[in-house]
Amino acid sequence: MRVKVGVNGYGTIGKRVAYAVSKQDDMELVGITKTKPDFEAYLAKERAIPVYAAGEEFLPTFENAGFEVAGTLNDLLEKVDVIVDATPEGMGAKNKALYEKAGVKAIFQGGEKASVAEVSFVAQANYEKALGKDYVRVVSCNTTGLTRTLSALQEYIDYVYAVMIRRAADPNDSKRGPVDAITPSVTVPSHHGPDVQTVIPINIETSAFVVPTTLMHVHSIMVELKKPLTEKDVIDIFENTTRVLLFEKEKGFESTAQIIEFARDLHREWNNLYEIAVWRESVSVKGKRLFYIQAVHQESDVVPENVDAIRAMFELAEKWESIRKTNRSLGILK
Amino acid sequence: MRVKVGVNGYGTIGKRVAYAVSKQDDMELVGITKTKPDFEAYLAKERAIPVYAAGEEFLPTFENAGFEVAGTLNDLLEKVDVIVDATPEGMGAKNKALYEKAGVKAIFQGGEKASVAEVSFVAQANYEKALGKDYVRVVSCNTTGLTRTLSALQEYIDYVYAVMIRRAADPNDSKRGPVDAITPSVTVPSHHGPDVQTVIPINIETSAFVVPTTLMHVHSIMVELKKPLTEKDVIDIFENTTRVLLFEKEKGFESTAQIIEFARDLHREWNNLYEIAVWRESVSVKGKRLFYIQAVHQESDVVPENVDAIRAMFELAEKWESIRKTNRSLGILK
Amino acid sequence: MRVKVGVNGYGTIGKRVAYAVSKQDDMELVGITKTKPDFEAYLAKERAIPVYAAGEEFLPTFENAGFEVAGTLNDLLEKVDVIVDATPEGMGAKNKALYEKAGVKAIFQGGEKASVAEVSFVAQANYEKALGKDYVRVVSCNTTGLTRTLSALQEYIDYVYAVMIRRAADPNDSKRGPVDAITPSVTVPSHHGPDVQTVIPINIETSAFVVPTTLMHVHSIMVELKKPLTEKDVIDIFENTTRVLLFEKEKGFESTAQIIEFARDLHREWNNLYEIAVWRESVSVKGKRLFYIQAVHQESDVVPENVDAIRAMFELAEKWESIRKTNRSLGILK
Amino acid sequence: MRVKVGVNGYGTIGKRVAYAVSKQDDMELVGITKTKPDFEAYLAKERAIPVYAAGEEFLPTFENAGFEVAGTLNDLLEKVDVIVDATPEGMGAKNKALYEKAGVKAIFQGGEKASVAEVSFVAQANYEKALGKDYVRVVSCNTTGLTRTLSALQEYIDYVYAVMIRRAADPNDSKRGPVDAITPSVTVPSHHGPDVQTVIPINIETSAFVVPTTLMHVHSIMVELKKPLTEKDVIDIFENTTRVLLFEKEKGFESTAQIIEFARDLHREWNNLYEIAVWRESVSVKGKRLFYIQAVHQESDVVPENVDAIRAMFELAEKWESIRKTNRSLGILK
Ligand SMILES: NC(=O)c1ccc[n+]([C@@H]2O[C@H](COP(=O)([O-])OP(=O)(O)OC[C@H]3O[C@@H](n4cnc5c(N)ncnc54)[C@H](O)[C@@H]3O)[C@@H](O)[C@H]2O)c1
Ligand SMILES: NC(=O)c1ccc[n+]([C@@H]2O[C@H](COP(=O)([O-])OP(=O)(O)OC[C@H]3O[C@@H](n4cnc5c(N)ncnc54)[C@H](O)[C@@H]3O)[C@@H](O)[C@H]2O)c1
Ligand SMILES: NC(=O)c1ccc[n+]([C@@H]2O[C@H](COP(=O)([O-])OP(=O)(O)OC[C@H]3O[C@@H](n4cnc5c(N)ncnc54)[C@H](O)[C@@H]3O)[C@@H](O)[C@H]2O)c1
Ligand SMILES: NC(=O)c1ccc[n+]([C@@H]2O[C@H](COP(=O)([O-])OP(=O)(O)OC[C@H]3O[C@@H](n4cnc5c(N)ncnc54)[C@H](O)[C@@H]3O)[C@@H](O)[C@H]2O)c1
């Protein structure tokens, strides 16, 4: 059986998930939706991906441009087993009624509240929870990044305080700023801590800042340990954690720029870095506290999670089989 | 008695200290040094500030441009009681021998190691320590910022973890980047914690990041409390702490951009914000932990400290008299 | 007689015009309008500037915050002889009916179409045209910048092609981007050429680009000469042109950053640079073509124009008397 | 015969040229040089590309890191027919003696003076000139971009004035700024015009500016026509010009960000856009003047030129055969 997958909302996340789905031998990409015939729509068509209008209201725009669509979202919903909703923040919750009506399973993204789904999902942390479920939320890029490394340390964690330095806009967004400022989330602790807790039950508080960069988020993490752990232990744990990679400043990884350059040097599609990047030199234990710094490629770290979520929802594979399959298909290094 | 002051190194910090000194009725600005006749040198001259060459080796540059200097650094040293060294990081230590030879007292800046001076100084924290001293180091912009708020909370502090999001370049520096990246200090904890400890004996660890902005540094501070404290207590303390101001997001202070705009709206010279800016809404107590976020105007927060350091070194005034005098002369709000 | 002036829209331009008006001995600042009680509103109040709600609809916001206003825009209109409209782009045209009904003269800004007023105004180019008029439009920052230098060269101009490299956001705007992109106006020639022609009848075409900076616009100007002119002639002309200053790279003016630093070094309020900055070394004549590069401080170059426009509208002074008076009051260098 | 190619200087340009060479069936990549064992060196090794030390003086660095090199530059030079020099600006000229001594042909990049080589090269403009030559200079990214579109229009050109808005740093360079400024080349006309004239004999003047972006350079081009041409003619010409692509704002190409996104959507290695991007809507003819705007991906537009230069130097193919071969191998769209 190949699960029939549709993608509603073909933007930063949607187009990457569509690509990843098309690389799986147990899934089939049935179509994607667009609200307008921009270059992304044309490219999808050129690649023989059926393009549906995201709703009836968008049909005129396509017609005016002479762009033939394969139908509307409702038509797509009739053809799929599961829809990956990657529409803008908050829109997924509104779309849910449509999916229920059509009787298709649905995956939502991190811009939605946890309550939109039965489970908030990070494959390596709680794959089993999504087995057979109808509605799964793949958590945000930041939450996925925090969960990847913290779940690996979970038994040692007494308390976590993480400061997130967030990119202001994705690389293809030329509207959003700031150009020259730092914007704090003045509500401290920020909402990111509780979001991690929708996946793993750890004691965590966070604060968050937006800075004028497009490439990656960076997390400065401090863990109060409940049992002793050396720096070498932590490095060993991370080296044995899937979707986490260690980068050395000494080898030229001075900033997020060189980490992205590494993904470009690998010829990853869209320079995706599906893995969380931990600076090796930053791993430091001082008494009962562990510190480390990691970077998160916001555009892509959640992509393998969407693939695994589909497998779990249709019980196509058990946890590690799915993770390994996804990793292999996307060139994830480990 | 008016203390005769010279400034060696007339850049970001030096020109502001020179200005501040010229506003004091118990000090006299005798001259400043320059390495080349750029617009800052011409402006100093237009304002009747004697301009000295920073060394013999710089004389030809001035001569070629037809810019008449008042002498060299050595000439200036003969005329002053104290020299404020605001040369680039690390150069102050090398200059110290000259100052010793000339028998003048000297103030160094935060780019120098603590060992360059007898005391590392933040007026409101340890003014008395500098009384009568010959060599004083005004600590860095970040250390000054951390010390201002943390010394006010000192008796409540068990442990501090502060994450510093640093501006990449000062506004008048068009050479330094990055343009689009986040650069961590991969050595965690960073050197900033120990630097605070040169002023106040608290238990503090820090991490630091450079981001593409010019306006201010931002600190995300977490304090483990040794005795209970409410949010209101903290606000009250900060409201009664000199050189600390509370800013409300609700009034439009969404980022460092609006905080600097406030300084511009006040018509502060160079938009100096001598005060540390704490976001009122960010002050938050969760159990035994206090969180708050502050911004530091790196170009100017250390300026009043230099003025107070001079007063302490010459025993011109006791602590609060000096602080109040400096505050009044610079329009510091409280 | 002191002309009674109100300012509707107290943002980047409005607050600077209000300040400039308050510095004139033949004008009186009667009040300003705000839509909400942010820090700019509080600062105005602290400075005893009467704050009016920009409309009835904004009253609840002020009431909720306990901020007492002096009335609404309509109340302000009853007390003034002229209103300076500095509301966001396009809103001035809608406001005009209110001003007509109240029987007050009005000045509009460059975000409005030329048709909103009887004359499009740059003092040194066409002061006389505004004499006694009821509705005057002070043209945009870019048009003012182009007009200042081009009107000085007018008799030599056969054709002008100017490329404008525009700042993305004002320094206090932390919302607008881009963070890392260049955005062209793809309609070439852009609308800026015709806008210059609303002030001076020259043959001009332009193109425009937005880049991630906040400080200044930069113009690369090429003039096809109708009669010979040497580089020295051009320098002489600019040296004798009011509100135009020459800056030398050789003195350290390498970019817009140092030009703004110069305004900061002058302790100009908000680092206003009312004057257009021409790089001296860029002035170059090759055969029949003249090239030069200028920078425009978008936040402030139109401010003296607003003051002069008021004088012209009330026939308080003839052209050069007004320009000199405005220059003196604002510290404009020449 | 497969030409044996070495690459000296494995940075932005060098690594892309090495990749492109490895895609050619008539060339063989023999090795590359590195000065230190950073991640680029490790990745090369992983891909079985022999890594040589760029000189004896660099050997200790490799040894200390336990990185085994295949020899030094001199060893590499013994094994190759041609060396592609992609060392930093100005270093190629110094290296030339080495290449002469080793008796290998050499290609230099645009950071070198024209005099370093026998011919300055852009394949579609002057392929024949490089036939059989020993030393060829592939011109800079900007010159290549200007030459591609202007050579297509050459017979219509009376005079060209081009304004170049340049990226400040490449994406993997986190050192260079500015963060928030525009930096003009104050020498106008800039050196870029004469550089175009080393390839095609047209009458051209230019000016240049650096802005805080990493993605692409943008050129605002104005052509004085010597014979009539309509907008449709120009579009037709560009549609029939190799390595030039038309992009429509209407399809979402609002800035350089979306143009690079297009290359990412194509899954181009390193998001290379070998083609010059012309905004279709910007093509405009007003009387005797033609305007258009183009963007240049500085990291990659010269890469196909290096490949073609090798073919010409060894007379492996005639012009269009080489260009087509290169295009096909790199996925160049036309
Ligand atoms: N960009 C990130 O960094 C990131 C990372 C992880 C998770 N997320 C989450 O993923 C979701 C999508 O974010 P994104 O960054 O891909 O956004 P995006 O803006 O890049 O893409 C959203 C897409 O949805 C389309 N769209 C708009 N209205 C629609 C409608 N009514 N129906 C269907 N499609 C519509 C848009 O045209 C766009 O193509 C959000 O929940 C977001 O929070 C984003
Ligand atoms: N800029 C900040 O944010 C900041 C904040 C607090 C402390 N500091 C510290 O203040 C000190 C000065 O920093 P800055 O930012 O003002 O640097 P700066 O580069 O702005 O100014 C240094 C000045 O010293 C001059 N100079 C160079 N060589 C000299 C020499 N041999 N003799 C005399 N002058 C010489 C330079 O021309 C320049 O004018 C450093 O220790 C720095 O760490 C800087
Ligand atoms: N900022 C510049 O660079 C610049 C330069 C020259 C001319 N201009 C022109 O000046 C005008 C104002 O621009 P700005 O940059 O000062 O904008 P701004 O956004 O900084 O200020 C506009 C102000 O108007 C207020 N406002 C919004 N709605 C209002 C209403 N209904 N009634 C009254 N006030 C209202 C806003 O709160 C804000 O304070 C525009 O026409 C603009 O094109 C701007
Ligand atoms: N980056 C661009 O946008 C661009 C575009 C077109 C042409 N160019 C030209 O290409 C050439 C290379 O530029 P780049 O941008 O690739 O530079 P780069 O700095 O990215 O790469 C240069 C490489 O040379 C290495 N190197 C340094 N010293 C060396 C030595 N002695 N021997 C051998 N290698 C050494 C460096 O380590 C680096 O890997 C320059 O002439 C430049 O002007 C650059």
Side-chain angles (χ1 to χ4, degrees):
Chain A
M1 174 211 175
R2 292 177 65 148
V3 174
K4 292 182 167 46
V5 183
V7 174
N8 188 22
Y10 193 71
T12 302
I13 300 303
K15 67 185 174 187
R16 284 172 174 80
V17 171
Y19 170 81
V21 163
S22 77
K23 292 278 175 194
Q24 311 306 317
D25 60 17
D26 47 1
M27 301 177 195
E28 185 192 335
L29 179 66
V30 175
I32 59 102
T33 71
K34 286 286 305 172
T35 61
K36 55 174 183 286
D38 60 10
F39 66 96
E40 293 180 321
Y42 281 95
L43 273 177
K45 199 166 218 183
E46 276 174 34
R47 287 171 185 170
I49 303 174
V51 177
Y52 292 79
E56 305 251 325
E57 66 274 31
F58 301 112
L59 284 174
T61 321
F62 288 98
E63 269 156 34
N64 290 342
F67 186 107
E68 219 172 306
V69 293
T72 66
L73 172 59
N74 281 330
D75 299 317
L76 176 60
L77 289 175
E78 280 181 19
K79 299 189 183 134
V80 300
D81 302 314
V82 60
I83 187 90
V84 178
D85 183 295
T87 57
E89 205 171 311
M91 198 173 283
K94 289 174 200 147
N95 291 336
K96 194 179 175 186
L98 291 177
Y99 308 153
E100 288 176 324
K101 207 174 129 203
V104 302
K105 298 193 179 213
I107 292 177
F108 300 93
Q109 308 303 319
E112 307 303 319
K113 298 224 175 75
S115 57
V116 80
E118 296 158 277
V119 55
S120 286
F121 182 82
V122 174
Q124 66 210 88
N126 68 349
Y127 185 91
E128 292 83 357
K129 287 251 174 78
L131 286 169
K133 289 288 185 297
D134 289 332
Y135 303 108
V136 170
R137 181 181 73 120
V138 168
V139 293
S140 77
C141 44
N142 278 312
T143 304
T144 299
L146 290 169
T147 303
R148 290 243 184 99
T149 52
L150 292 172
S151 65
L153 301 168
Q154 194 163 342
E155 62 183 297
Y156 300 94
I157 295 178
D158 195 26
Y159 170 76
V160 177
Y161 173 55
V163 175
M164 274 163 297
I165 306 172
R166 297 167 54 205
R167 65 86 184 93
D170 283 337
N172 67 341
D173 173 354
S174 51
K175 289 277 188 350
R176 243 187 290 191
V179 170
D180 185 3
I182 300 172
T183 307
S185 295
V186 295
T187 307
V188 192
S190 70
H191 70 275
H192 304 85
D195 204 45
V196 171
Q197 290 164 342
T198 65
V199 190
I200 48 173
I202 59 171
N203 190 10
I204 176 171
E205 289 173 319
T206 53
S207 69
F209 300 82
V210 169
V211 302
T213 187
T214 66
L215 302 179
M216 302 184 92
H217 302 301
V218 172
H219 299 164
S220 185
I221 295 171
M222 186 268 263
V223 180
E224 288 180 15
L225 298 167
K226 78 157 69 122
K227 44 182 184 171
L229 204 51
T230 66
E231 286 163 18
K232 181 159 178 330
D233 293 337
V234 178
I235 301 273
D236 283 350
I237 289 171
F238 287 161
E239 283 194 327
N240 288 296
T241 301
T242 189
R243 299 176 184 170
V244 172
L245 289 178
L246 289 154
F247 287 81
E248 284 151 39
K249 182 183 169 180
E250 206 200 24
K251 287 198 179 150
F253 296 108
E254 296 192 344
S255 73
T256 52
Q258 291 80 31
I259 292 188
I260 290 300
E261 186 71 4
F262 174 76
R264 297 170 94 209
D265 282 347
L266 290 181
H267 299 177
R268 289 275 185 86
E269 49 287 344
W270 295 285
N271 62 261
N272 285 348
L273 192 74
Y274 302 110
E275 302 91 338
I276 305 308
V278 175
W279 269 278
R280 187 184 292 263
E281 292 98 330
S282 76
V283 174
S284 168
V285 175
K286 297 277 155 190
K288 63 164 193 180
R289 292 191 187 84
L290 159 67
F291 301 90
Y292 63 96
I293 297 172
Q294 67 182 24
V296 170
H297 185 226
Q298 79 279 353
E299 298 179 290
S300 72
D301 71 331
V302 300
V303 172
E305 309 296 342
N306 275 273
V307 172
D308 289 328
I310 294 172
R311 280 214 191 81
M313 292 163 83
F314 289 90
E315 304 184 57
L316 299 178
E318 60 75 47
K319 175 173 172 174
W320 290 107
E321 189 193 334
S322 177
I323 290 178
R324 270 193 301 268
K325 226 174 144 91
T326 305
N327 286 1
R328 221 177 307 118
S329 64
L330 297 178
I332 290 176
L333 292 175
K334 75 158 216 285
Chain B
M1 175 211 175
R2 291 176 66 145
V3 174
K4 290 182 168 47
V5 184
V7 174
N8 188 23
Y10 193 70
T12 301
I13 300 301
K15 69 185 173 186
R16 283 173 175 78
V17 172
Y19 169 82
V21 163
S22 78
K23 291 280 174 194
Q24 310 306 317
D25 60 17
D26 48 0
M27 302 177 193
E28 185 192 335
L29 179 66
V30 174
I32 59 102
T33 71
K34 285 288 304 174
T35 61
K36 56 176 183 286
D38 61 10
F39 66 96
E40 292 179 322
Y42 281 95
L43 272 178
K45 200 168 217 181
E46 276 175 33
R47 286 171 185 170
I49 303 175
V51 176
Y52 292 79
E56 305 249 326
E57 66 274 32
F58 302 114
L59 285 174
T61 322
F62 288 98
E63 269 156 34
N64 290 342
F67 186 107
E68 219 172 308
V69 291
T72 66
L73 172 60
N74 281 330
D75 300 318
L76 177 59
L77 289 175
E78 280 180 19
K79 298 189 184 133
V80 300
D81 302 314
V82 60
I83 188 89
V84 178
D85 184 296
T87 57
E89 206 171 310
M91 198 172 283
K94 289 173 200 147
N95 291 336
K96 194 178 173 186
L98 291 177
Y99 308 153
E100 287 175 324
K101 206 173 129 204
V104 302
K105 298 194 179 212
I107 293 177
F108 300 94
Q109 307 304 317
E112 306 303 319
K113 298 223 173 77
S115 56
V116 81
E118 296 158 277
V119 56
S120 285
F121 183 80
V122 173
Q124 66 211 85
N126 67 349
Y127 185 92
E128 292 82 359
K129 287 250 175 78
L131 284 170
K133 289 288 185 296
D134 288 332
Y135 302 109
V136 170
R137 181 181 73 119
V138 168
V139 293
S140 77
C141 45
N142 278 311
T143 304
T144 300
L146 290 168
T147 304
R148 291 244 185 98
T149 52
L150 291 172
S151 65
L153 300 168
Q154 194 163 341
E155 62 183 296
Y156 300 93
I157 295 178
D158 195 25
Y159 169 77
V160 177
Y161 174 55
V163 175
M164 274 163 298
I165 307 172
R166 296 168 55 205
R167 64 87 183 90
D170 283 337
N172 66 340
D173 173 354
S174 51
K175 288 276 188 345
R176 242 186 291 192
V179 170
D180 185 4
I182 300 173
T183 307
S185 295
V186 295
T187 307
V188 192
S190 69
H191 70 275
H192 303 86
D195 204 47
V196 171
Q197 291 164 340
T198 66
V199 190
I200 48 172
I202 58 171
N203 190 11
I204 176 169
E205 289 175 318
T206 52
S207 69
F209 300 82
V210 169
V211 302
T213 185
T214 67
L215 301 179
M216 303 184 92
H217 302 301
V218 172
H219 299 164
S220 186
I221 296 171
M222 185 268 265
V223 180
E224 288 179 15
L225 298 167
K226 79 157 71 119
K227 44 183 184 170
L229 204 50
T230 66
E231 287 162 17
K232 181 158 178 330
D233 293 338
V234 178
I235 301 271
D236 283 350
I237 289 170
F238 287 161
E239 283 195 327
N240 287 297
T241 302
T242 189
R243 299 176 184 171
V244 172
L245 288 180
L246 290 154
F247 287 80
E248 282 150 40
K249 182 183 170 182
E250 204 200 24
K251 286 195 180 153
F253 295 107
E254 296 191 345
S255 73
T256 52
Q258 291 79 33
I259 291 188
I260 290 300
E261 186 71 4
F262 174 75
R264 297 169 95 210
D265 282 347
L266 290 182
H267 299 177
R268 289 275 185 89
E269 48 288 342
W270 295 287
N271 63 259
N272 284 350
L273 192 73
Y274 303 110
E275 303 90 339
I276 305 309
V278 175
W279 269 278
R280 188 185 292 264
E281 293 97 331
S282 76
V283 175
S284 167
V285 175
K286 296 279 153 187
K288 62 165 191 178
R289 291 190 188 85
L290 160 67
F291 301 90
Y292 63 96
I293 297 171
Q294 66 183 24
V296 169
H297 185 226
Q298 79 278 356
E299 298 180 291
S300 73
D301 71 331
V302 301
V303 172
E305 308 296 341
N306 276 273
V307 172
D308 289 328
I310 294 172
R311 279 214 192 83
M313 292 162 83
F314 291 90
E315 304 184 57
L316 298 179
E318 60 76 46
K319 175 173 172 173
W320 288 107
E321 190 192 333
S322 177
I323 290 178
R324 269 193 302 269
K325 226 174 143 92
T326 305
N327 287 2
R328 222 177 307 119
S329 65
L330 297 177
I332 290 176
L333 291 175
K334 74 158 216 282
Chain C
M1 175 212 175
R2 291 177 66 146
V3 174
K4 292 182 165 47
V5 184
V7 174
N8 188 23
Y10 193 71
T12 301
I13 300 302
K15 69 185 173 186
R16 284 173 174 78
V17 171
Y19 170 81
V21 163
S22 77
K23 292 278 174 194
Q24 311 306 316
D25 60 18
D26 49 359
M27 301 177 194
E28 186 192 334
L29 179 66
V30 175
I32 59 101
T33 70
K34 286 288 303 173
T35 61
K36 57 176 182 284
D38 60 10
F39 66 96
E40 292 179 322
Y42 280 95
L43 273 178
K45 199 167 218 182
E46 277 175 33
R47 286 170 186 171
I49 303 174
V51 177
Y52 292 79
E56 305 251 325
E57 66 274 31
F58 302 113
L59 285 173
T61 322
F62 288 98
E63 269 157 34
N64 290 342
F67 186 107
E68 218 171 308
V69 293
T72 66
L73 172 59
N74 280 330
D75 300 318
L76 177 59
L77 289 175
E78 279 180 20
K79 297 190 184 133
V80 301
D81 302 314
V82 60
I83 188 90
V84 177
D85 183 295
T87 57
E89 207 171 310
M91 198 173 284
K94 288 174 201 146
N95 290 336
K96 194 179 173 186
L98 291 177
Y99 307 153
E100 287 176 325
K101 207 174 128 202
V104 303
K105 297 192 179 213
I107 292 177
F108 300 94
Q109 307 303 318
E112 306 304 318
K113 298 224 176 76
S115 57
V116 80
E118 296 157 278
V119 56
S120 285
F121 182 82
V122 173
Q124 65 210 88
N126 68 349
Y127 185 90
E128 292 83 357
K129 286 252 174 80
L131 285 170
K133 289 288 185 295
D134 288 332
Y135 303 108
V136 170
R137 181 180 73 119
V138 168
V139 292
S140 77
C141 45
N142 278 311
T143 304
T144 299
L146 290 169
T147 303
R148 290 242 185 99
T149 51
L150 292 172
S151 65
L153 300 168
Q154 194 163 342
E155 63 183 297
Y156 300 93
I157 295 177
D158 195 25
Y159 170 78
V160 176
Y161 173 56
V163 175
M164 274 163 297
I165 306 171
R166 296 168 55 203
R167 65 87 183 90
D170 284 337
N172 67 340
D173 172 354
S174 52
K175 288 278 188 348
R176 242 186 291 192
V179 170
D180 185 4
I182 300 173
T183 308
S185 295
V186 296
T187 306
V188 193
S190 70
H191 71 275
H192 303 87
D195 203 46
V196 171
Q197 291 163 341
T198 65
V199 190
I200 48 172
I202 59 170
N203 190 11
I204 176 170
E205 288 174 321
T206 53
S207 69
F209 300 81
V210 169
V211 302
T213 186
T214 67
L215 302 179
M216 302 184 93
H217 302 302
V218 171
H219 299 163
S220 186
I221 296 171
M222 185 267 264
V223 180
E224 289 179 14
L225 298 167
K226 77 157 73 117
K227 43 183 184 170
L229 205 50
T230 66
E231 287 162 17
K232 182 159 177 330
D233 292 338
V234 178
I235 300 272
D236 284 350
I237 288 170
F238 287 161
E239 283 195 326
N240 288 296
T241 300
T242 191
R243 300 175 184 171
V244 172
L245 288 178
L246 290 154
F247 287 81
E248 283 151 39
K249 181 183 170 180
E250 206 200 24
K251 287 196 181 152
F253 295 107
E254 296 191 346
S255 73
T256 52
Q258 291 79 31
I259 292 188
I260 289 300
E261 186 72 4
F262 174 76
R264 297 170 94 210
D265 282 346
L266 290 182
H267 300 176
R268 288 274 185 89
E269 48 287 343
W270 295 286
N271 62 261
N272 284 348
L273 192 74
Y274 302 110
E275 303 90 340
I276 304 309
V278 175
W279 269 278
R280 187 185 292 264
E281 292 98 332
S282 76
V283 174
S284 168
V285 176
K286 297 278 153 188
K288 63 164 193 180
R289 291 190 187 84
L290 159 67
F291 301 90
Y292 62 96
I293 297 172
Q294 67 182 24
V296 169
H297 185 226
Q298 78 279 355
E299 298 180 290
S300 73
D301 72 330
V302 301
V303 172
E305 309 296 342
N306 276 272
V307 172
D308 289 328
I310 294 173
R311 281 214 191 82
M313 292 163 82
F314 290 90
E315 304 184 57
L316 298 179
E318 59 76 46
K319 174 174 173 174
W320 289 106
E321 190 193 331
S322 176
I323 290 178
R324 271 193 301 268
K325 227 175 143 93
T326 306
N327 286 2
R328 222 178 306 120
S329 64
L330 297 177
I332 291 176
L333 291 176
K334 75 159 216 284
Chain D
M1 173 210 176
R2 291 177 65 145
V3 174
K4 292 180 165 47
V5 184
V7 174
N8 188 22
Y10 193 70
T12 302
I13 300 302
K15 68 185 175 187
R16 284 172 174 79
V17 172
Y19 169 82
V21 163
S22 77
K23 292 278 173 194
Q24 310 306 315
D25 59 18
D26 47 1
M27 302 177 194
E28 185 192 334
L29 179 66
V30 174
I32 60 102
T33 71
K34 284 288 304 174
T35 61
K36 56 176 184 286
D38 61 9
F39 67 95
E40 293 179 322
Y42 282 94
L43 273 178
K45 200 167 217 182
E46 277 175 34
R47 286 170 186 172
I49 304 175
V51 177
Y52 292 79
E56 306 249 325
E57 66 273 32
F58 301 113
L59 286 173
T61 322
F62 287 97
E63 270 156 35
N64 291 342
F67 186 106
E68 218 173 309
V69 291
T72 66
L73 173 60
N74 281 330
D75 300 318
L76 176 60
L77 288 176
E78 280 182 19
K79 298 190 185 134
V80 300
D81 303 314
V82 61
I83 187 89
V84 178
D85 183 297
T87 58
E89 205 172 312
M91 197 172 283
K94 290 173 199 146
N95 291 336
K96 194 179 175 186
L98 292 176
Y99 308 153
E100 286 176 325
K101 207 173 129 204
V104 302
K105 298 193 179 213
I107 292 177
F108 299 94
Q109 307 304 318
E112 307 302 319
K113 297 224 175 74
S115 57
V116 80
E118 296 159 276
V119 56
S120 286
F121 183 81
V122 174
Q124 65 211 85
N126 68 349
Y127 185 90
E128 291 83 359
K129 287 252 176 78
L131 285 169
K133 289 289 185 296
D134 289 332
Y135 302 109
V136 170
R137 181 180 74 118
V138 168
V139 293
S140 76
C141 45
N142 278 312
T143 304
T144 300
L146 290 169
T147 303
R148 291 243 184 97
T149 53
L150 291 172
S151 66
L153 300 169
Q154 194 164 342
E155 62 182 297
Y156 300 93
I157 295 177
D158 194 25
Y159 169 78
V160 176
Y161 174 56
V163 175
M164 274 163 297
I165 306 172
R166 296 168 55 205
R167 63 89 184 90
D170 283 337
N172 66 340
D173 173 354
S174 52
K175 288 276 183 357
R176 243 187 290 191
V179 170
D180 185 4
I182 301 173
T183 306
S185 296
V186 296
T187 306
V188 192
S190 69
H191 70 276
H192 304 85
D195 204 46
V196 171
Q197 291 164 341
T198 65
V199 190
I200 48 172
I202 59 171
N203 189 11
I204 176 170
E205 290 174 320
T206 53
S207 68
F209 301 81
V210 168
V211 302
T213 187
T214 67
L215 302 179
M216 303 184 92
H217 302 301
V218 172
H219 300 164
S220 186
I221 296 171
M222 185 269 265
V223 180
E224 289 180 14
L225 298 168
K226 77 157 72 118
K227 44 183 184 170
L229 204 52
T230 67
E231 286 162 17
K232 180 157 180 331
D233 292 338
V234 178
I235 301 272
D236 283 351
I237 289 170
F238 287 161
E239 284 195 327
N240 288 296
T241 301
T242 189
R243 300 175 184 171
V244 171
L245 288 179
L246 290 154
F247 287 81
E248 282 151 39
K249 182 184 169 179
E250 205 200 24
K251 287 197 179 151
F253 295 108
E254 296 192 346
S255 73
T256 52
Q258 292 79 32
I259 292 188
I260 290 300
E261 186 71 4
F262 174 76
R264 298 170 93 209
D265 283 345
L266 289 181
H267 299 178
R268 289 275 185 89
E269 48 287 344
W270 295 286
N271 62 260
N272 285 349
L273 192 73
Y274 303 110
E275 303 91 339
I276 304 309
V278 175
W279 269 278
R280 187 184 292 264
E281 293 98 330
S282 75
V283 175
S284 167
V285 176
K286 296 279 153 188
K288 62 166 193 178
R289 292 191 187 84
L290 159 67
F291 301 91
Y292 63 95
I293 298 172
Q294 66 182 24
V296 169
H297 184 226
Q298 78 278 354
E299 298 181 289
S300 72
D301 71 331
V302 301
V303 172
E305 309 296 342
N306 277 273
V307 172
D308 289 327
I310 295 173
R311 281 215 190 80
M313 292 163 82
F314 290 89
E315 304 185 55
L316 299 179
E318 60 77 44
K319 175 173 172 173
W320 288 107
E321 190 193 332
S322 176
I323 290 178
R324 270 193 301 268
K325 228 175 143 89
T326 307
N327 286 2
R328 222 178 305 119
S329 65
L330 296 177
I332 291 176
L333 292 175
K334 76 157 216 284

